[in-house]
Amino acid sequence: MNDESDLLATIAQGVVHLDVAVVRTSVESAVREGISPFRIVAEGLSQGMRTVGALFRDGELFMPEVLVACDTYYAGLQLVQPLIEKDNGRIAKGKIVLGTIHGDIHTVGKDVAIPVFRAAGFDVVDLGTDVADEAFVEAVRQHQPDIVGLGTYMTSTFMHTNQTVEALERAGLRGQVKVICGGPAVDVRAALKLGADGATDNAWEGVQIMEAWMAEVRE
Amino acid sequence: MSVVDSWVQRLRGTLRPIGEMTHWQRLAAALDLHPTDLVPVAPELDYWQITHAGYSHQEIYNDVDKTTDACLRTWADLRCDAIWMYVDISHQIENFLPAERRAAHFVHRGPKDYLLFKPLVETLDEAIALYESRAFEKHLADSRAVTHYTPHMLQLLEFQEKMDRQVPVIVGAASPINYAETIVEVQRLVRWTITESEDKVRHYLELCLAERLEALDFYRDVAAANGCQFFCVFGGARTWGPRQLEKFGDVDRRFVDKVREIFPYVFWHHCGHNLPQALELLATWPGIKGVQYDQPYHSQKLSWSEFYEITARLFSGRRCAMNAPTTQVACYGTPGEITQMVRQFIEATVPHTSAVVMPGCEIDSYAPVENVRAMIDAARTMA
């Protein structure tokens, strides 16, 4: 391994070991060494998140560690984000606007989903929590995403998925986006009945679903 | 005539027997790991029963009689093996807030929606200060714990006694870790178990435990003294990993140590994705007779039948297993799917331990009544 690879591996390991200090220092070093911000994200921070996903899947890491790994990822991302925004060469896999359904203020799912989606190469517009249907409509008009993500922690707020979907339909925007539901209360069949295109309670599975949708669009 | 006397007059002497045991005997026997005539069925209908009885959640919010009427009307209709109290999150945390701040913290989205809430504080220091100032005591007198929860509970217990304990009322309380999460929002506490000093997190949890142990005096003097014997502990730590359970899990166990001195039939509510280590702990904590468990943890690639069987073997000789169908299927599934899930649960469980048909969490207000009836019928038609 050369120095660049070592540095990127250190960043990835920092994310896995929940070590904010190591991640920050290594990202700063990588920037100084002239490594492209896109590589720092793709081969450092995002590689770390992929490893976290694999360890979570295998039962070696659990939700608390995953949440803090996401924060660690963000700590590094903050340092390179301004540089990435100047980098016109990056092509995102797709754009998603994502928020927690009106009435639901839990962020535990969204806090994991957003970094995992970003690490996988999606542009994510975070609308926050307790997002009104009209705010989703406005965000679709403004950001022109490929996908709308509806987060919900509770069954009673998940049951309002159809109202958000209907708001998109009334605005004439439903045809231009896929809708995915996420959170521990979601059920795939119910999500489809409620007008969404898919659902999952696992952010890494969400990436697979969205990648398949984007592949369909490109075909 | 009071709402309780009205229902007692209507039901006493008119109820057809179901099986050979009373509802009380059936649930008690299952929790004692004894044989039962039928598998008990006691879904957590706490807020579903409000809309089933024709009320909106707003309508009952400040009306104790309508709340109790909803529970008794639903029980008379469905004849489950227990009556669950109506509870909402304001009962749990309103007494931490001065009256003028309460409206901003609780939200009624719609007539069928459960009460939504916002966290009370956002930092660990604020949470500790909230407990050290004994805010929960200062604002108790006019809170819904006093004005709604307690009179509602007493009405149901009065019904239980006047009906000669044919059917038990289930009273429940949140565990210290559940409180610790609710006060600040779960995602914050979960992070702090890693990012904050262990001593500081433990100090917060010990404050939560102290408050909960004091609260148990109320449950002893008011609930148990009026006949309550079946007690559900709404556990916390549902998103914790094994490291967090090992470090801090003893806080909830110490709470159970006092609960079991007060109530003979204690069971633990553990909703969410159940970590295997958490179920193993619950199988060993003294005083818990049953575990209302939920879905397997993300990393466990198990079918439902496999999960039922693994859990039943784990609980064998030690705990009653309480599950099926999932709350999601209860709400979104078909009656046929629900029947199948309940049967799978019973078939996989009863060779190893006793079973109670009780989804891992509350039945959602949007669940169709056909689905709830399917769950009950499935249990009633299996020997």
Side-chain angles (χ1 to χ4, degrees):
Chain A
M1 270 206 297
N2 58 32
D3 290 346
E4 285 192 359
S5 300
D6 287 345
L7 207 43
L8 292 168
T10 303
I11 294 169
Q13 282 302 303
V15 172
V16 175
H17 293 137
L18 319 179
D19 195 329
V20 172
V22 164
V23 167
R24 281 196 178 130
T25 308
S26 308
V27 168
E28 284 167 349
S29 299
V31 171
R32 276 198 306 274
E33 293 291 323
I35 301 175
S36 85
F38 186 64
R39 276 192 75 200
I40 294 171
V41 173
E43 297 174 38
L45 296 168
S46 298
Q47 180 55 44
M49 286 303 291
R50 281 191 291 275
T51 305
V52 168
L55 293 170
F56 178 62
R57 182 196 62 213
D58 295 342
E60 292 179 40
L61 284 185
F62 301 89
M63 277 305 292
E65 289 84 7
V66 169
L67 271 171
V68 177
C70 291
D71 295 344
T72 310
Y73 166 87
Y74 270 125
L77 190 65
Q78 274 178 348
L79 299 174
V80 286
Q81 192 72 45
L83 306 171
I84 290 172
E85 283 163 7
K86 290 180 193 163
D87 184 350
N88 295 325
R90 177 181 173 254
I91 299 169
K93 284 181 180 169
K95 184 188 275 187
I96 175 167
V97 298
L98 186 153
T100 305
I101 286 181
H102 172 49
D104 195 336
I105 47 81
H106 295 84
T107 65
V108 64
K110 191 168 71 67
D111 288 352
V112 175
I114 292 175
V116 169
F117 295 170
R118 283 186 175 146
F122 284 87
D123 278 346
V124 182
V125 179
D126 179 7
L127 303 182
T129 60
D130 192 14
V131 180
D133 298 338
E134 307 74 48
F136 278 107
V137 169
E138 195 47 47
V140 172
R141 284 204 181 102
Q142 184 187 343
H143 298 288
Q144 297 293 309
D146 306 290
I147 298 160
V148 172
L150 306 178
T152 178
Y153 188 77
M154 297 180 294
T155 307
S156 59
T157 44
F158 175 50
M159 294 305 294
H160 291 286
T161 296
N162 57 339
Q163 292 174 9
T164 311
V165 173
E166 283 162 14
L168 292 170
E169 278 172 358
R170 280 196 304 277
L173 300 169
R174 178 68 180 91
Q176 70 184 59
V177 291
K178 292 277 195 184
V179 176
I180 187 166
C181 298
V186 304
D187 175 274
V188 177
R189 285 168 306 171
L192 298 179
K193 278 187 201 168
L194 293 167
D197 299 299
T200 179
D201 64 357
N202 180 318
W204 285 274
E205 281 178 13
V207 167
Q208 291 174 349
I209 292 168
M210 295 193 301
E211 284 176 343
W213 286 346
M214 297 314 299
E216 283 173 21
V217 170
R218 293 199 179 93
E219 283 171 9
Chain B
M1 186 183 287
S2 74
V3 63
V4 172
D5 286 338
S6 165
W7 276 106
V8 171
Q9 188 179 67
R10 215 178 306 182
L11 299 175
R12 202 178 160 92
T14 67
L15 295 171
R16 65 179 172 78
I18 294 175
E20 295 164 7
M21 299 172 124
T22 66
H23 302 290
W24 179 295
Q25 289 166 341
R26 188 173 297 124
L27 191 59
L31 285 166
D32 283 331
L33 307 182
H34 294 159
T36 55
D37 57 345
L38 299 166
V39 174
V41 53
E44 192 183 329
L45 298 178
D46 47 7
Y47 63 89
W48 179 89
Q49 56 201 343
I50 300 301
T51 50
H52 177 64
Y55 298 116
S56 70
H57 287 290
Q58 289 94 331
E59 196 177 355
I60 60 93
Y61 194 61
N62 292 309
D63 193 321
V64 175
D65 283 350
K66 284 182 179 172
T67 309
T68 300
D69 180 63
C71 297
L72 299 181
R73 189 177 296 274
T74 300
W75 180 73
D77 179 27
L78 301 176
R79 296 284 304 279
C80 292
D81 290 312
I83 299 173
W84 282 83
M85 283 183 66
Y86 166 83
V87 286
D88 67 43
I89 196 76
S90 70
H91 293 142
Q92 189 176 335
I93 59 173
E94 202 187 59
N95 60 313
F96 282 79
L97 286 166
E100 66 273 15
R101 284 182 55 201
R102 289 171 184 164
H105 280 270
F106 301 105
V107 182
H108 276 292
R109 178 171 176 173
K112 289 187 80 166
D113 289 296
Y114 186 60
L115 190 70
L116 305 165
F117 70 104
K118 296 175 182 174
L120 303 186
V121 291
E122 297 186 354
T123 69
L124 184 51
D125 286 331
E126 288 170 344
I128 288 171
L130 189 72
Y131 272 93
E132 286 182 338
S133 69
R134 296 185 68 83
F136 52 87
E137 200 172 59
K138 284 183 204 160
H139 309 302
L140 178 66
D142 62 348
S143 74
R144 279 169 49 72
V146 171
T147 63
H148 192 268
Y149 179 92
T150 304
H152 170 55
M153 178 182 75
L154 288 172
Q155 285 184 339
L156 289 182
L157 291 171
E158 181 188 346
F159 176 81
Q160 172 188 280
E161 298 303 298
K162 285 183 171 173
M163 292 294 287
D164 302 323
R165 298 193 172 188
Q166 287 184 56
V167 60
V169 169
I170 294 175
V171 172
S175 75
I177 293 172
N178 183 324
Y179 259 78
E181 292 173 336
T182 304
I183 295 290
V184 297
E185 260 305 301
V186 61
Q187 62 268 11
R188 291 196 177 94
L189 182 67
V190 167
R191 283 183 167 95
W192 295 339
T193 60
I194 294 174
T195 60
E196 293 280 355
S197 84
E198 186 174 338
D199 287 348
K200 198 168 174 182
V201 173
R202 176 160 287 284
H203 178 51
Y204 174 47
L205 294 175
E206 292 288 341
L207 288 168
C208 296
L209 173 63
E211 185 278 331
R212 290 286 75 206
L213 293 176
E214 287 177 34
L216 283 178
D217 293 341
F218 159 82
Y219 285 102
R220 180 194 61 216
D221 298 342
V222 180
N226 283 283
C228 175
Q229 293 206 7
F230 293 78
F231 195 79
C232 172
V233 180
F234 295 99
R238 299 164 195 170
T239 52
W240 286 13
R243 294 170 192 85
Q244 288 74 33
L245 287 171
E246 191 177 331
K247 266 189 197 172
F248 305 116
D250 65 295
V251 172
D252 272 0
R253 181 191 52 72
R254 286 153 61 200
F255 178 68
V256 171
D257 283 345
K258 183 164 176 179
V259 172
R260 70 183 172 127
E261 292 172 6
I262 302 170
F263 298 102
Y265 296 103
V266 179
F267 65 95
W268 189 273
H269 166 112
H270 192 61
C271 72
H273 289 278
N274 295 169
L275 192 69
Q277 291 90 335
L279 290 176
E280 283 166 16
L281 274 182
L282 294 171
T284 60
W285 286 357
I288 297 173
K289 292 201 164 188
V291 179
Q292 179 189 4
Y293 69 97
D294 203 342
Q295 303 174 67
Y297 201 74
H298 299 276
S299 54
Q300 291 182 290
K301 305 293 182 195
L302 299 170
S303 70
W304 274 104
S305 292
E306 288 167 334
F307 186 51
Y308 292 144
E309 186 173 345
I310 285 171
T311 309
R313 285 181 185 276
L314 176 70
F315 289 169
S316 180
R318 298 190 287 182
R319 298 289 179 270
C320 169
M322 312 166 103
N323 198 315
T326 63
T327 48
Q328 282 79 11
V329 171
C331 190
Y332 320 124
T334 63
E337 288 166 335
I338 288 163
T339 301
Q340 185 186 14
M341 249 188 142
V342 169
R343 289 187 171 169
Q344 280 178 335
F345 165 66
I346 293 171
E347 284 166 0
T349 302
V350 293
H352 308 286
T353 188
S354 61
V356 174
V357 174
M358 178 188 285
C361 205
E362 69 275 350
I363 303 295
D364 193 80
S365 286
Y366 288 86
V369 64
E370 297 77 21
N371 287 8
V372 177
R373 287 192 196 284
M375 180 190 324
I376 297 164
D377 291 345
R380 296 286 187 236
T381 53
M382 279 187 83

